[in-house]
Amino acid sequence: MRIIYSGLLYLLAPLVPLYLKKRGKKNPQYLENWHERFGWNLVNPSTKPIVWFHSVSVGETRAMYKLVELFNENLPEYQILITTMTPTGRETAKKLYPYAHIHYVPYDLSFSVQQFYKTFKPKLGIILETEIWPNLVHFAARNAIPLYLVNARLSNRSYIGYNRFKMVLASILNKFTGILCQDQNTLNNFAKLNYSGKLAVVGNTKFDLVLNSDINQLIMLFKQMFAERKVITFASTRDGEEELILDNLDFSEDVVYLIIPRHPERFTELENLLIERNVNYQKRSDGNLIKPETKVVIGDSMGEMLAYYAISYLAIIGGSFKDFGGQNPIEAIFMHVPVIFGNSMYNFNEIAENCLTDGCAYQIDSVSKLSDAIHKMLHNVNEYVELKDHCNQFIDKYQGASQRVFDIVKQSL
């Protein structure tokens, strides 16, 4: 089956430059260091043995900060290698980890992956969240590289999809040395997929976030831009949600609504919706001070979500008002911002339930109730302050996953 998969990838490989060219029109950084993605002309600048971390983009790159620091401080005889998939993830890694070697992960082509492992020869691999690339996993096992899936998350809905390919998937999964899960439900689902390696619930390293200097500088910039405006943030909204949200907002409230689509290609779609509705708006990318008459700001930037949360009075979690399964509310709560989300939170079911139980979130069963929920949080000060206090307690309660992961995976060195 892996042979068929690899063959299909090689057939599609000639299309990759076209994909990079298309992405490069919107972000020229996609055209930089492209040889790394194919495993060409790779260079290992270190003489030390390597510990390799892979994160997809900005959120995961920040989420592993404490874990990477534990390795760097306690095992200085190893060189840290960090791979990402996106330019924003790469730039974030450069800022956060000046001591690390930063690289793009290779495309999941046999040749590219083998060249990556041949060049860097990692002694240990740690992959953040549920990034399961068959060749990357297969050749790690062939090269006797212990490989861990960390912050693993597998919802019941995703399990149903994976279960259709259970026989094939199990052979890939069982090449992981360990799968360290965010919650018990994820552990149960991987067990049902016949994973027989080390399974453990360790929590989520996103609870161990650290604010570094670049984020603090961005927060100061945003505070100047928004002045004293009270900001209601809609984080990582998905296709079709912006229209529903705009139709259920009260524009007479003395607030500014900050809407951040999850995918950059939809920034223009949101702008067109605002023009159609004759809503006074500005774009973050313009860098201008937010005017008193502005009702909506389009968060048309990448990798700045923590700073957006830092200036927010309230955060509404995107992907939860249509059937997308929601987004992770941890970063908002880490910044001591109470959250509101809709019914669709199946991707983060346990976290959402814990947020509600611990009193730092508010759930509505219909987007039509959005305006009332925001009004309540704006005008019921005692309830709002209580939610905010619970945010602090919630983060304190669930921190420590990074240390638990470190204690487990270092045993493979």
Side-chain angles (χ1 to χ4, degrees):
M1 188 70 182
R2 194 188 64 81
I3 295 173
I4 295 173
Y5 165 83
S6 296
L8 288 172
L9 284 181
Y10 275 111
L11 289 174
L12 293 172
L15 300 177
V16 173
L18 296 177
Y19 166 78
L20 290 175
K21 185 177 180 181
K22 180 180 178 182
R23 295 302 299 267
K25 289 180 180 178
K26 295 181 179 179
N27 185 349
Q29 289 179 310
Y30 269 96
L31 300 177
E32 298 173 2
N33 303 294
W34 58 270
H35 65 282
E36 295 178 0
R37 300 180 186 272
F38 287 97
W40 294 339
N41 300 320
L42 304 185
V43 176
N44 179 2
S46 177
T47 57
K48 293 180 179 180
I50 283 176
V51 173
W52 163 48
F53 294 82
H54 173 61
S55 59
V56 180
S57 192
V58 176
E60 297 81 10
T61 304
R62 290 194 181 281
M64 66 186 187
Y65 182 84
K66 182 70 174 180
L67 178 59
V68 175
E69 284 289 287
L70 285 168
F71 272 90
N72 190 53
E73 292 171 3
N74 293 284
L75 299 168
E77 65 272 24
Y78 289 92
Q79 170 65 44
I80 304 295
L81 167 68
I82 295 174
T83 61
T84 69
M85 291 189 72
T86 67
T88 51
R90 185 187 183 99
E91 290 305 306
T92 300
K94 285 181 179 179
K95 293 176 181 177
L96 290 179
Y97 312 108
Y99 48 80
H101 181 48
I102 312 300
H103 205 277
Y104 281 125
V105 74
Y107 287 126
D108 206 43
L109 301 164
S110 296
F111 169 81
S112 305
V113 171
Q114 289 184 80
Q115 287 300 114
F116 174 80
Y117 286 137
K118 182 180 179 180
T119 301
F120 295 107
K121 300 179 177 64
K123 300 298 182 184
L124 174 68
I126 298 169
I127 296 179
L128 268 288
E129 309 227 345
T130 312
E131 282 285 295
I132 304 172
W133 294 101
N135 282 321
L136 201 67
V137 176
H138 170 78
F139 286 106
R142 177 174 285 189
N143 287 278
I145 301 167
L147 194 62
Y148 286 86
L149 196 60
V150 171
N151 272 11
R153 174 172 54 87
L154 188 61
S155 68
N156 291 336
R157 181 172 294 202
S158 295
Y159 162 74
I160 292 170
Y162 285 172
N163 194 48
R164 296 172 187 157
F165 309 98
K166 184 175 182 177
M167 297 299 293
V168 175
L169 187 61
S171 66
I172 298 169
L173 289 178
N174 279 294
K175 289 180 169 64
F176 280 102
T177 305
I179 298 180
L180 308 184
C181 306
Q182 294 185 19
D183 52 58
Q184 185 64 43
N185 190 59
T186 290
L187 184 147
N188 294 341
N189 284 337
F190 275 113
K192 287 188 290 185
L193 290 174
N194 291 339
Y195 176 69
S196 58
K198 183 174 185 57
L199 265 175
V201 176
V202 296
N204 192 330
T205 63
K206 284 190 175 180
F207 285 104
D208 300 330
L209 283 167
V210 176
L211 298 183
N212 62 316
S213 59
D214 68 308
I215 284 293
N216 287 323
Q217 289 172 11
L218 194 56
I219 291 170
M220 293 301 296
L221 173 64
F222 282 178
K223 285 182 176 179
Q224 292 172 4
M225 285 179 62
F226 285 82
E228 299 301 318
R229 299 292 298 276
K230 192 169 283 186
V231 181
I232 308 297
T233 294
F234 291 83
S236 297
T237 54
R238 303 291 293 273
D239 188 19
E241 285 191 318
E242 292 90 358
E243 189 168 5
L244 292 174
I245 289 165
L246 291 173
D247 288 343
N248 288 278
L249 290 181
D250 182 356
F251 288 105
S252 69
E253 294 279 11
D254 186 20
V255 299
V256 59
Y257 298 109
L258 170 62
I259 305 178
I260 310 154
R262 179 165 176 77
H263 300 112
E265 58 268 23
R266 294 185 43 257
F267 295 155
T268 302
E269 291 180 26
L270 173 56
E271 186 172 8
N272 289 336
L273 286 173
L274 294 167
I275 292 171
E276 289 172 9
R277 286 162 171 74
N278 198 29
V279 176
N280 202 318
Y281 73 94
Q282 290 179 241
K283 295 190 289 186
R284 180 271 181 267
S285 59
D286 291 337
N288 297 324
L289 297 178
I290 305 306
K291 301 173 184 176
E293 63 269 23
T294 295
K295 299 308 298 182
V296 172
V297 173
I298 302 174
D300 57 343
S301 63
M302 301 295 290
E304 298 184 342
M305 191 65 79
L306 274 176
Y308 283 137
Y309 283 140
I311 61 164
S312 300
Y313 179 85
L314 190 65
I316 290 85
I317 305 301
S320 68
F321 297 106
K322 295 189 74 175
D323 192 25
F324 292 110
Q327 297 299 138
N328 198 329
I330 291 176
E331 288 186 348
I333 297 170
F334 181 86
M335 301 305 290
H336 310 151
V337 179
V339 300
I340 294 175
F341 45 75
N343 272 339
S344 184
M345 287 293 288
Y346 57 79
N347 285 329
F348 302 92
N349 188 55
E350 185 165 324
I351 291 174
E353 289 180 0
N354 290 341
C355 288
L356 294 170
T357 300
D358 290 4
C360 54
Y362 187 68
Q363 188 169 32
I364 55 177
D365 57 18
S366 170
V367 71
S368 64
K369 298 181 180 179
L370 183 59
S371 180
D372 289 341
I374 293 172
H375 182 85
K376 182 179 181 181
M377 292 298 102
L378 288 170
H379 300 283
N380 190 331
V381 177
N382 290 337
E383 184 171 350
Y384 174 78
V385 170
E386 187 175 359
L387 281 168
K388 198 170 180 67
D389 288 342
H390 287 162
C391 289
N392 303 337
Q393 298 165 18
F394 183 76
I395 294 298
D396 289 344
K397 179 178 179 180
Y398 291 102
Q399 283 183 328
S402 299
Q403 184 68 56
R404 290 189 285 273
V405 171
F406 177 72
D407 290 341
I408 291 170
V409 301
K410 70 177 182 181
Q411 298 174 29
S412 293
L413 289 172

